[in-house]
Amino acid sequence: MKKAKANGPAIDSKELIEALEELEKERGIKKDVILESIETALVTAYKRNFESSENVKVTMDSKSGETHVYAEKEVVEIVENPNLQINLADAQKLSKKLAIGDVAEIEIVPKNFGRIAAQTAKQVIVQKIREESRNVLFDAFNERKGEIVSGLVQKADGGVVVLDLGRLEGIMTVREQIPTEKYHVNDKLRAYVVDVERGAKGSPQVLVSRACPDFVRKLFELEIPEIYEGVIELKSVSRDPGSRSKVAVYSPNENIDPVGSCVGQKGIRIQNIINELSGEKIDVIEWNADPAIYISSALLPAQVMAVDIHEEEKFAQVIVPDDQLSLAIGKAGQNARLAAKLTNWKIDIKSESQFREMMQKAQEEAENAEEVVESAKTEEVIEEVEEKPVKKTTKKTTKKEEIVEEPVEEKKAKKATKKATEKEESEVVEEVKEENKTTKKAKAKKEEVADEAEEEPAKEKKTRKTKKKTDE
């Protein structure tokens, strides 16, 4: 589809272009963006003021400022809508190159359109300047997100603090303020840019903070050149604003002491950061790839006896001496809480005596569990043993049932046989007893005869002695 223009006298806007160029230099608002907006606004203004249904196009030259208004019409054989169409013969008067289906652009110079154009352009420019200024500011501060900015306190009434950052205002909510600080109008503050948002009318709002851990991180980068240059890495920061912070640093170079570099000679480097944070205490520890060593360092100044690591759960059981327990936990659990945030591990701290009691209790529970298992096994064995007689009894019962079914005569005969057998057995027992008695009597008699036989020689000997004495 071809387009052909039929140019007429243009509206001079040279001064407008000069103004737009100055505006671009001063505020950074691009001239082409405003020109596009003016062209769109002029089309709307033309249709509204002249009640036209034509396809209108407005162009402005970015160098000379010449403004042209065109009515776009389609080239057809038979014209049905003169506002939107033009026949081939009339179209070829404008340009012989035009054919059916092409679009002819016919120059329009309406009466008083210069005045309308000027008013419309003014409104558009003012609005566009406002919008573009906001966009420029938004982009400028959005790029500074994560940096530290300085400003003067404009408002401080115990609630939200407003900082004058030059072209914009910084808003610091109560949550982002250090609890121990009190702010006054005209105080100079440094704050961390958390985010940049658009307000209700599109104006950018800069949210700043002095309480977030990243504020401490950025202060370390500003005050310690080794961190800014990347010689020392700042691995992690945990913070309780206004009270205490823990910072983990690391250097891949073995010849560099990361903790000493951060503290500085006589503590001068770390003292500058502490002063900026209104006296907040800062613990600088060395990061270690071994979680046990890292957690032990994170709990400083408390001494650690042992660390039991559970990798899957990211859980650490820490044992400390009895006199170090309160120091390891800290006031209101502050030291343990900051250590857990710094290392990103769950930490459970136990004293030595608590750990021993826990181990003893676990051992007793284990023993009790073994006894329960053994008892259960014993009960199973007993149940098995008890099950066997039940089966036997069932068989006996069956036999008894069979016996009951036997004839009465056979039953009497069996009873008689049983009695006779018992009588014979008792008689045999009696005979055995009698034989035993007879044997015992014979044995006793035999022993008496033997005693008498032994006594006779003694008597004869005594008689001989008596007879010898008499003869003498």
Side-chain angles (χ1 to χ4, degrees):
M1 183 183 290
K2 295 180 182 179
K3 288 187 178 182
K5 293 182 181 179
N7 291 331
I11 300 171
D12 188 9
S13 305
K14 190 173 182 180
E15 293 180 357
L16 176 63
I17 297 299
E18 291 176 358
L20 293 178
E21 287 175 354
E22 288 293 324
L23 194 63
E24 186 174 10
K25 290 177 183 178
E26 289 179 5
R27 301 198 181 184
I29 301 171
K30 292 182 179 180
K31 179 179 67 175
D32 294 338
V33 174
I34 296 180
L35 285 176
E36 288 177 7
S37 301
I38 291 173
E39 289 174 358
T40 305
L42 288 175
V43 171
T44 306
Y46 176 83
K47 289 185 176 182
R48 184 178 63 245
N49 285 277
F50 296 97
E51 297 179 355
S52 174
S53 60
E54 296 175 321
N55 289 334
V56 179
K57 180 181 178 183
V58 178
T59 60
M60 294 184 71
D61 191 279
S62 60
K63 293 180 180 179
S64 63
E66 291 182 356
T67 305
H68 297 273
V69 183
Y70 298 100
E72 293 183 335
K73 295 185 178 183
E74 185 183 358
V75 180
V76 293
E77 290 183 358
I78 301 172
V79 176
E80 296 178 358
N81 187 346
N83 291 328
L84 302 175
Q85 296 173 336
I86 186 172
N87 61 34
L88 182 61
D90 293 337
Q92 287 184 344
K93 290 178 183 178
L94 301 173
S95 175
K96 292 182 179 180
K97 295 180 181 180
L98 290 172
I100 293 173
D102 293 339
V103 175
E105 294 181 349
I106 304 168
E107 179 80 16
I108 302 172
V109 185
K111 254 186 177 183
N112 300 325
F113 188 67
R115 179 179 58 79
I116 296 167
Q119 291 177 351
T120 304
K122 180 182 177 181
Q123 293 172 358
V124 171
I125 289 168
V126 170
Q127 184 179 356
K128 202 66 183 174
I129 287 172
R130 190 181 296 116
E131 289 178 2
E132 286 300 315
S133 297
R134 289 170 179 171
N135 291 336
V136 168
L137 287 174
F138 181 86
D139 294 338
F141 275 90
N142 199 41
E143 290 176 0
R144 298 186 67 183
K145 190 188 296 184
E147 295 183 4
I148 290 179
V149 293
S150 298
L152 293 175
V153 177
Q154 280 188 336
K155 178 186 174 184
D157 54 1
V160 175
V161 174
V162 179
L163 296 177
D164 181 9
L165 302 178
R167 298 169 67 186
L168 269 182
E169 291 181 344
I171 297 171
M172 185 165 59
T173 61
V174 176
R175 185 180 178 183
E176 301 298 338
Q177 299 169 19
I178 297 176
T180 55
E181 288 183 339
K182 291 184 178 180
Y183 307 103
H184 303 90
V185 177
N186 293 328
D187 285 351
K188 189 173 183 180
L189 291 178
R190 288 202 288 180
Y192 177 82
V193 179
V194 178
D195 198 6
V196 182
E197 298 178 349
R198 291 191 182 274
K201 296 182 180 180
S203 58
Q205 291 182 345
V206 182
L207 304 178
V208 296
S209 171
R210 283 180 59 83
C212 66
D214 289 328
F215 183 49
V216 176
R217 184 188 293 272
K218 280 294 175 182
L219 287 175
F220 267 81
E221 290 180 5
L222 291 174
E223 296 293 337
I224 301 162
E226 290 86 348
I227 292 179
Y228 182 77
E229 293 169 3
V231 179
I232 296 174
E233 297 177 25
L234 204 158
K235 289 285 188 179
S236 181
V237 178
S238 62
R239 189 182 180 199
D240 193 355
S243 180
R244 197 183 198 93
S245 291
K246 285 182 181 287
V247 180
V249 293
Y250 170 75
S251 176
N253 191 339
E254 295 179 356
N255 299 322
I256 295 177
D257 177 16
V259 177
S261 299
C262 293
V263 173
Q265 189 176 10
K266 295 182 180 180
I268 189 168
R269 286 182 170 181
I270 199 72
Q271 192 59 48
N272 291 335
I273 300 173
I274 291 171
N275 292 340
E276 180 63 38
L277 299 175
S278 303
E280 185 176 310
K281 295 178 182 178
I282 301 175
D283 295 336
V284 182
I285 67 166
E286 186 172 359
W287 180 87
N288 197 295
D290 186 350
I293 299 173
Y294 185 28
I295 290 168
S296 298
S297 301
L299 287 169
L300 288 173
Q303 297 176 359
V304 176
M305 295 176 64
V307 179
D308 184 19
I309 296 295
H310 301 274
E311 287 282 355
E312 294 180 357
E313 303 170 2
K314 292 210 79 172
F315 173 77
Q317 180 82 56
V318 179
I319 312 302
V320 298
D322 291 350
D323 59 345
Q324 296 284 308
L325 181 61
S326 58
L327 187 61
I329 295 173
K331 186 178 180 181
Q334 184 188 70
N335 194 54
R337 185 173 62 254
L338 290 177
K341 286 182 181 178
L342 185 73
T343 59
N344 200 23
W345 279 69
K346 295 177 183 178
I347 301 175
D348 182 25
I349 303 173
K350 299 284 185 187
S351 66
E352 185 180 0
S353 57
Q354 287 175 341
F355 180 71
R356 291 184 186 280
E357 289 176 4
M358 187 175 68
M359 291 300 293
Q360 187 176 356
K361 188 176 180 181
Q363 189 175 357
E364 289 175 357
E365 288 178 354
E367 290 175 357
N368 292 336
E370 287 179 3
E371 289 178 1
V372 170
V373 171
E374 289 177 1
S375 175
K377 287 181 178 178
T378 307
E379 288 179 359
E380 288 178 2
V381 172
I382 291 170
E383 287 177 0
E384 289 178 1
V385 171
E386 287 178 347
E387 284 177 0
K388 289 179 181 178
V390 169
K391 293 177 182 178
K392 221 168 183 182
T393 308
T394 307
K395 288 180 181 179
K396 285 182 179 179
T397 307
T398 307
K399 286 180 180 180
K400 284 181 181 179
E401 289 174 356
E402 291 174 359
I403 291 166
V404 168
E405 292 176 357
E406 289 178 356
V408 179
E409 292 179 358
E410 288 181 5
K411 192 175 179 182
K412 287 181 179 180
K414 283 184 179 180
K415 282 184 178 180
T417 306
K418 189 177 180 181
K419 285 182 179 179
T421 305
E422 288 176 356
K423 188 176 182 181
E424 287 176 358
E425 286 177 353
S426 62
E427 287 176 356
V428 170
V429 170
E430 291 294 331
E431 288 177 359
V432 171
K433 286 181 179 180
E434 288 296 332
E435 286 178 359
N436 289 338
K437 285 180 181 180
T438 307
T439 306
K440 285 180 181 179
K441 285 180 181 179
K443 191 176 180 181
K445 194 172 183 181
K446 191 175 181 181
E447 287 175 354
E448 285 177 3
V449 172
D451 291 337
E452 287 176 358
E454 287 176 357
E455 286 176 356
E456 281 180 1
K459 285 179 181 179
E460 288 177 358
K461 191 175 181 182
K462 191 176 181 182
T463 305
R464 280 194 219 106
K465 283 181 181 181
T466 305
K467 191 176 180 182
K468 188 176 180 182
K469 283 180 181 181
T470 304
D471 293 339
E472 289 175 355

